[in-house]
Structures are given as C-alpha cells and as structure tokens.
Amino acid sequence: MSRFWSPVVDTLSPYVPGEQPTKENFVKLNTNESPYGPSDHVLNAIHGAVSNNLRRYPDPSADAIRQSIAKGLGLEKSNIFVGNGSDEILSHAFNAFFSGKPPVLFPEITYSFYHACCQLYGVRKKEIPLDMYFRIDVHRFEGVSGGVVVANPNAPTGIALELPEIETILRSNPDVVVLVDEAYVDFGASSSVNLVPQYDNLIVVQTFSKSRSLAGLRFGMAVGHPDLIDALTRVKDSFNSYPLDSLALAGAQAAWEDTVWFEKVCQKVIADRSYLSSAMEEMDFKVLPSSANFIFVAHPVVSAQRLLVELRKRGILVRHFNDERIKDWLRISVGTTNECAALLVALKEILITKSDADDGAHC
Ligand SMILES: *Cc1c(COP(=O)(O)O)cnc(C)c1O
C-alpha cells in the first residue's frame, strides 16, 4: 500500500504464475508448457519476420492470421479476435461483457486468474461448488447472472465437459455471455467452436501457449459472434491497438497452419499422460481423469506439501495450490517420456523413504 495507489490497486490480489526458474536444470512440470518446442516451420517464419520492417507497426487488426484461423475453422474473420496470450483476452472479456452486471458465475475450483479479472474491473462473482468428484454440475449454472465462465477442460482438475453440457449452460443463459476457456481442449476434449454459429452468447477462448508450444511468443484467440468480437476489439483499441508484435503474428500463423506438427505433439502428450496416470495409480495415487496436458493427483498417505518439497530437492517442479479444498492435491504437467520417467523414479524414492520412516517409528 502506498499513498500514491488508486483505491482499486489497493484491493487487487494479482494472479501468481508458476515459478520460472532462472537455472535450466529443473524438470519443469509446474506451468503446463509444452515439453516439445515449436516446429522449424514456425521458427523459420519468425526468423523471416526479423527484418528492417521491425521499424513499422504491425497490422493492428491482425487480418492475415485472423483470416487463416477463420478458414481453418470454417468461419469468418469477423468471428475471430486475437490477443497477447489468452490471459489478455480473458481480461478484456471480463471488462467487455461482465463489468457493471449481476455476478458472473464460475466454478469454485478453476483458473485463479478469473478472480484477478473480477477485482480489476469490479466484477462481482458467484462461485459454483464442484461435486464430490471435482466435477462441474452444469445445472447449477442457471438463474440471474451477469455471465458464465467455464474452463473446458477445467483447471487444475483436468476434467472436461461434454458439448451437450456446454449447450445446457448456453441455453439456460441466453441473455448473457458464456465464456468457454479452452486452454487445454486440444488434449482430448471437444471444442465448443463448432457451436459458435448457433449461439450468439458464446465466446470461446484458446491459447497457443500449451498445445502449440508457444508460451513464450504470447498468442491467444477468441471465437464468437461478430457482435462479441466487436466488443473485444473496442476494449482492445482503447487499451493497446498493437498487442501482437510482427514476430508473434508470423510465428502464430505458421503454428496454426502446421497441423501435422500440432497433431503429433498432442498425440504424444496424450499417450504419455495415460502412461503417467497408470503408473501413478499403481503407486496408490488418486488421479483425476484428465483431458489436459497435466494430471491432478493426491496421495493417501504422503501430503502434497511434502511431495512438492521432496520433488524440488530432486530437481522436479510441480504445482501446489493454497486452497483448502485442493490442499492435498498436486498438478503435474505431462513432460517428455523421459521427464515422466524421472518423475516416477523420484516419487518411488520419496514414497519408500516415507515407509522406512514409518517402520522406524513402529520399532
Ligand atoms: C495457461 C492458461 C491460460 C493462459 O494462457 P496464455 O499463456 O495467457 O495464453 C488461460 N486459461 C487457462 C485455464 C490456462 O491454464
């Protein structure tokens, strides 16, 4: 708190991203980045954009990539909005659709950035409880509200909704915006993008940070009715007309068009997720059914806090959230096959040490 701060700055509890260590030698399974780099096609496109033209502003309306995305989805450019990472789009969306309205509904356990958006724009919120299996009950997202936000798959649980469930939410909220955050959809869930022509209250947000291996480039997109895209554009042009630099536009377009690389990376992550999930279940972990590039796990005996610390000692970073309902759980990104194997070796070691300590105590 400083005497120079505005009242709103004083109320903020900003989002805290997972640690980005400065040393390279960690097995980094804490922020759901892709374990595989972008394709040569993408790197070449970025290199190609490095030229004397950096003295020019980029295209403020990002027409080329919006056209390319629209074509790939069978939609129009007017259905597509792009931003500097999907977090920027989420922030604009809270401002554009939910501020000055009744409370916005989102699940009790979900991406905590939504809370930060609410605080920044003074948006009221109503958190909807998950069931005992950490599932979203879509029938609870009805009644008077200023809008609905659901991550599909949800984070950090990894559990996905089916499209008929998304449609239930859309139909019970016809007069407010329903935002579906599909940061992890490419790892096995169904995208609501195909519902866009039918529902004028739907906005779907995706990111290139996870399934397209470009967290460092910062690129996200939103798909929806042109009226919703217009609202986002009005907010964007009142905030920063040039959120995407020339290199990001070039790299993201190449990534969007390189469907072969994208499919290959997603399939690899999905295969390793299933190997990692079974191996951890064999070690007695509870593993929620994940449709994302991470798994959410809890051990019946060893606390999440202890696992976090012991894994870190062995050079492996995973994510723990300080929230009462999920304090026993860890979110672990699916790494390369070798990284998954290293994680399993470390966990075996930690769990054996634990039972040794128990034996000692009983003697
Ligand atoms: C990672 C993530 C995002 C944000 O991604 P950007 O890097 O800002 O594009 C948005 N929503 C969820 C649920 C995420 O996990």
Side-chain angles (χ1 to χ4, degrees), residues 15 31-32 83-90 110-114 151-156 181-184 205-210 214-216 218-221 293-294 331:
Y15 176 71
T31 53
N32 298 342
N84 191 270
S86 62
D87 280 353
E88 182 183 80
I89 302 177
L90 293 171
T110 192
Y111 187 34
S112 59
F113 186 65
Y114 307 150
N152 189 34
N154 196 15
D181 179 353
E182 296 190 344
Y184 301 105
V205 178
Q206 296 190 354
T207 175
F208 281 26
S209 297
K210 284 49 187 255
L214 289 173
R218 310 305 302 135
F219 186 88
M221 64 193 236
N293 67 342
F294 58 82
R331 190 196 69 190

XYZ file of all heavy atoms in Angstrom, residues 15 31-32 83-90 110-114 151-156 181-184 205-210 214-216 218-221 293-294 331, ligand 1:
349
model
N -2.788 -12.346 -9.894
C -2.520 -13.756 -10.207
C -1.031 -14.040 -9.999
O -0.178 -13.228 -10.369
C -2.908 -14.027 -11.660
C -2.587 -15.437 -12.110
C -3.312 -16.519 -11.635
C -1.544 -15.685 -13.002
C -3.013 -17.808 -12.032
C -1.243 -16.976 -13.413
C -1.980 -18.036 -12.924
O -1.675 -19.307 -13.321
N 4.062 -25.543 -15.013
C 3.268 -24.490 -15.660
C 2.603 -24.938 -16.965
O 2.158 -24.089 -17.755
C 4.101 -23.207 -15.925
O 5.278 -23.560 -16.627
C 4.481 -22.489 -14.639
N 2.560 -26.246 -17.194
C 1.808 -26.790 -18.338
C 2.281 -26.294 -19.705
O 1.507 -26.244 -20.659
C 0.307 -26.498 -18.190
C -0.268 -27.148 -16.949
O 0.335 -28.058 -16.392
N -1.417 -26.681 -16.510
N -5.170 -11.980 -29.380
C -4.601 -11.169 -28.309
C -3.242 -11.670 -27.853
O -2.788 -12.754 -28.250
N -2.607 -10.868 -27.031
C -1.291 -11.157 -26.490
C -1.420 -12.194 -25.365
O -1.413 -11.866 -24.180
C -0.692 -9.842 -25.968
C 0.769 -9.970 -25.632
O 1.125 -10.297 -24.505
N 1.619 -9.721 -26.582
N -1.559 -13.434 -25.784
C -1.849 -14.505 -24.829
C -3.338 -14.512 -24.545
O -4.026 -13.494 -24.727
N -3.859 -15.669 -24.117
C -5.297 -15.693 -23.864
C -5.641 -14.983 -22.562
O -6.765 -14.532 -22.377
C -5.853 -17.115 -23.906
O -5.286 -17.907 -22.920
N -4.683 -14.834 -21.650
C -4.967 -14.063 -20.439
C -5.413 -12.639 -20.795
O -6.315 -12.094 -20.161
C -3.727 -13.977 -19.533
C -3.527 -15.236 -18.698
O -4.417 -16.117 -18.712
O -2.487 -15.341 -18.023
N -4.767 -12.053 -21.778
C -5.163 -10.700 -22.171
C -6.604 -10.703 -22.678
O -7.393 -9.800 -22.365
C -4.237 -10.155 -23.262
C -4.589 -8.733 -23.648
C -3.722 -8.208 -24.775
O -3.992 -8.538 -25.951
O -2.781 -7.472 -24.486
N -6.954 -11.723 -23.439
C -8.323 -11.808 -23.974
C -9.328 -12.010 -22.833
O -10.393 -11.400 -22.808
C -8.432 -12.934 -25.018
C -7.435 -12.685 -26.158
C -9.858 -13.043 -25.541
C -7.392 -13.770 -27.223
N -8.966 -12.874 -21.873
C -9.855 -13.095 -20.723
C -10.091 -11.780 -19.994
O -11.225 -11.437 -19.635
C -9.237 -14.119 -19.759
C -9.128 -15.553 -20.284
C -8.299 -16.413 -19.330
C -10.516 -16.165 -20.475
N -11.193 -23.395 -10.104
C -10.912 -23.166 -11.521
C -9.675 -22.287 -11.639
O -8.931 -22.103 -10.662
C -12.152 -22.574 -12.246
O -11.948 -22.619 -13.656
C -12.424 -21.126 -11.825
N -9.433 -21.771 -12.828
C -8.259 -20.939 -13.098
C -8.352 -19.665 -12.250
O -9.314 -18.899 -12.381
C -8.272 -20.616 -14.583
C -7.056 -19.898 -15.115
C -5.776 -20.138 -14.613
C -7.188 -18.984 -16.169
C -4.677 -19.486 -15.143
C -6.091 -18.345 -16.711
C -4.832 -18.596 -16.183
O -3.752 -17.950 -16.721
N -7.352 -19.432 -11.413
C -7.499 -18.341 -10.439
C -7.357 -16.957 -11.072
O -7.673 -15.950 -10.443
C -6.530 -18.523 -9.277
O -5.215 -18.548 -9.756
N -6.918 -16.899 -12.306
C -6.833 -15.608 -12.991
C -8.214 -14.933 -13.088
O -8.306 -13.706 -13.119
C -6.225 -15.805 -14.385
C -5.950 -14.516 -15.133
C -5.004 -13.608 -14.679
C -6.636 -14.214 -16.305
C -4.753 -12.419 -15.368
C -6.390 -13.029 -17.005
C -5.445 -12.133 -16.533
N -9.301 -15.735 -13.114
C -10.643 -15.145 -13.202
C -10.919 -14.230 -12.003
O -11.584 -13.218 -12.131
C -11.741 -16.219 -13.282
C -11.549 -17.260 -14.373
C -12.028 -18.562 -14.205
C -10.900 -16.953 -15.568
C -11.863 -19.524 -15.189
C -10.732 -17.916 -16.560
C -11.206 -19.208 -16.361
O -11.035 -20.158 -17.327
N -13.802 -23.142 -17.689
C -12.639 -23.658 -18.398
C -12.988 -25.095 -18.783
O -13.442 -25.869 -17.953
C -11.409 -23.632 -17.495
N -12.802 -25.440 -20.053
C -13.085 -26.799 -20.523
C -11.941 -27.293 -21.392
O -11.751 -26.791 -22.490
C -14.380 -26.829 -21.328
C -14.809 -28.257 -21.627
O -14.586 -29.146 -20.802
N -15.377 -28.490 -22.794
N -11.176 -28.300 -20.878
C -11.230 -28.923 -19.558
C -10.987 -27.895 -18.449
O -10.321 -26.898 -18.675
C -10.094 -29.938 -19.586
C -9.687 -30.090 -21.014
C -10.091 -28.865 -21.721
N -11.527 -28.227 -17.254
C -11.316 -27.321 -16.134
C -9.866 -27.438 -15.645
O -9.198 -28.446 -15.840
C -12.297 -27.649 -15.003
C -12.422 -26.524 -13.975
O -11.996 -25.392 -14.223
N -12.991 -26.836 -12.826
N -9.400 -26.376 -15.034
C -8.068 -26.356 -14.431
C -8.248 -26.009 -12.953
O -9.083 -25.162 -12.640
C -7.218 -25.290 -15.104
N -7.512 -26.633 -12.039
C -6.467 -27.610 -12.307
C -6.949 -29.067 -12.269
O -6.125 -29.960 -12.155
C -5.492 -27.354 -11.155
C -6.369 -26.979 -10.001
C -7.551 -26.265 -10.599
N -13.249 -21.244 -21.740
C -11.793 -21.107 -21.814
C -11.220 -22.477 -22.186
O -11.194 -23.388 -21.362
C -11.276 -20.622 -20.451
C -9.758 -20.467 -20.407
O -9.063 -20.847 -21.377
O -9.262 -19.972 -19.376
N -10.769 -22.607 -23.433
C -10.304 -23.905 -23.941
C -8.784 -24.002 -24.007
O -8.215 -24.528 -24.964
C -10.926 -24.173 -25.318
C -12.448 -24.311 -25.258
C -13.063 -24.812 -26.570
O -12.383 -24.763 -27.603
O -14.231 -25.251 -26.531
N -8.113 -23.523 -22.950
C -6.647 -23.548 -22.944
C -6.100 -24.968 -23.189
O -5.031 -25.129 -23.770
C -6.125 -23.003 -21.618
N -6.862 -25.994 -22.738
C -6.342 -27.375 -22.804
C -7.164 -28.284 -23.715
O -7.002 -29.497 -23.693
C -6.307 -27.970 -21.389
C -5.454 -27.161 -20.451
C -6.024 -26.339 -19.487
C -4.065 -27.185 -20.566
C -5.236 -25.569 -18.644
C -3.272 -26.420 -19.732
C -3.858 -25.616 -18.784
O -3.077 -24.855 -17.954
N -12.369 -19.150 -25.956
C -11.019 -18.598 -25.900
C -10.005 -19.743 -25.935
O -10.154 -20.728 -25.212
C -10.834 -17.745 -24.614
C -9.413 -17.195 -24.521
C -11.849 -16.602 -24.585
N -9.016 -19.628 -26.821
C -7.951 -20.635 -26.890
C -6.586 -19.955 -26.816
O -6.478 -18.750 -27.014
C -8.050 -21.437 -28.199
C -9.334 -22.263 -28.296
C -9.334 -23.230 -29.469
O -8.418 -23.224 -30.301
N -10.373 -24.061 -29.561
N -5.568 -20.759 -26.523
C -4.205 -20.215 -26.418
C -3.231 -21.043 -27.251
O -3.460 -22.232 -27.467
C -3.735 -20.212 -24.951
O -2.375 -19.787 -24.911
C -3.811 -21.591 -24.311
N -2.164 -20.416 -27.696
C -1.089 -21.146 -28.383
C 0.022 -21.509 -27.395
O 1.069 -21.992 -27.777
C -0.521 -20.297 -29.536
C -1.367 -20.314 -30.790
C -2.732 -20.553 -30.743
C -0.786 -20.090 -32.037
C -3.514 -20.565 -31.895
C -1.553 -20.097 -33.207
C -2.918 -20.334 -33.133
N -0.214 -21.267 -26.099
C 0.836 -21.486 -25.095
C 1.014 -22.950 -24.717
O 2.060 -23.334 -24.209
C 0.514 -20.714 -23.817
O 0.497 -19.340 -24.051
N -0.029 -23.769 -24.898
C 0.069 -25.136 -24.423
C 0.229 -26.096 -25.606
O 1.322 -26.555 -25.885
C -1.169 -25.502 -23.593
C -1.282 -24.966 -22.156
C -1.086 -23.622 -21.799
C -1.049 -23.143 -20.397
N -2.201 -22.438 -19.917
N 3.998 -22.471 -27.770
C 4.459 -21.091 -27.960
C 4.154 -20.184 -26.758
O 3.801 -19.011 -26.943
C 3.826 -20.496 -29.223
C 4.338 -21.048 -30.562
C 3.505 -20.491 -31.719
C 5.814 -20.710 -30.766
N 4.345 -20.701 -25.549
C 4.059 -19.874 -24.363
C 4.885 -18.591 -24.369
O 4.432 -17.536 -23.934
C 4.312 -20.672 -23.087
N 6.111 -18.685 -24.885
C 6.992 -17.522 -24.880
C 6.645 -16.478 -25.929
O 7.083 -15.330 -25.836
N 3.473 -15.528 -26.821
C 2.261 -14.844 -26.366
C 1.252 -14.695 -27.485
O 1.260 -13.706 -28.227
C 2.579 -13.458 -25.741
C 3.674 -13.441 -24.699
C 3.429 -14.418 -23.560
N 2.181 -14.175 -22.871
C 1.324 -15.139 -22.540
N 1.578 -16.415 -22.806
N 0.219 -14.840 -21.923
N 0.403 -15.686 -27.630
C -0.667 -15.585 -28.617
C -1.898 -16.350 -28.144
O -1.817 -17.509 -27.735
C -0.209 -16.149 -29.982
C -1.232 -15.926 -31.062
C -1.229 -14.753 -31.800
C -2.228 -16.869 -31.319
C -2.192 -14.520 -32.781
C -3.199 -16.647 -32.298
C -3.173 -15.468 -33.033
N -3.033 -15.667 -28.183
C -4.298 -16.313 -27.856
C -5.354 -15.866 -28.844
O -5.154 -14.887 -29.585
N -6.470 -16.586 -28.886
C -7.545 -16.208 -29.813
C -8.906 -16.424 -29.174
O -9.056 -17.228 -28.246
C -7.437 -17.028 -31.103
C -7.631 -18.522 -30.897
S -7.115 -19.453 -32.351
C -8.631 -20.348 -32.706
N -3.082 -31.394 -20.556
C -1.679 -31.818 -20.620
C -1.049 -31.845 -19.226
O 0.138 -31.644 -19.058
C -0.868 -30.916 -21.562
C -0.741 -29.500 -21.037
O -1.515 -29.083 -20.165
N 0.222 -28.744 -21.540
N -1.915 -32.087 -18.218
C -1.435 -32.231 -16.841
C -2.339 -33.240 -16.156
O -3.416 -33.564 -16.659
C -1.484 -30.885 -16.102
C -2.860 -30.270 -16.065
C -3.805 -30.668 -15.130
C -3.221 -29.311 -17.007
C -5.081 -30.114 -15.122
C -4.503 -28.749 -17.008
C -5.432 -29.154 -16.062
N -0.745 -30.531 -9.085
C -0.945 -30.532 -10.535
C 0.414 -30.753 -11.187
O 1.371 -30.024 -10.916
C -1.529 -29.194 -10.984
C -1.997 -29.207 -12.436
C -2.216 -27.817 -12.974
N -0.942 -27.131 -13.120
C -0.821 -25.835 -13.394
N -1.877 -25.076 -13.545
N 0.381 -25.288 -13.522
C -2.480 -21.290 -19.410
C -3.912 -20.866 -19.299
C -4.384 -19.699 -19.900
C -3.495 -18.608 -20.395
O -2.673 -18.816 -21.371
P -1.868 -17.659 -22.085
O -0.456 -18.105 -21.960
O -2.137 -16.331 -21.432
O -2.392 -17.697 -23.468
C -5.729 -19.419 -19.858
N -6.587 -20.228 -19.215
C -6.180 -21.331 -18.595
C -7.178 -22.181 -17.904
C -4.829 -21.671 -18.608
O -4.409 -22.738 -17.945
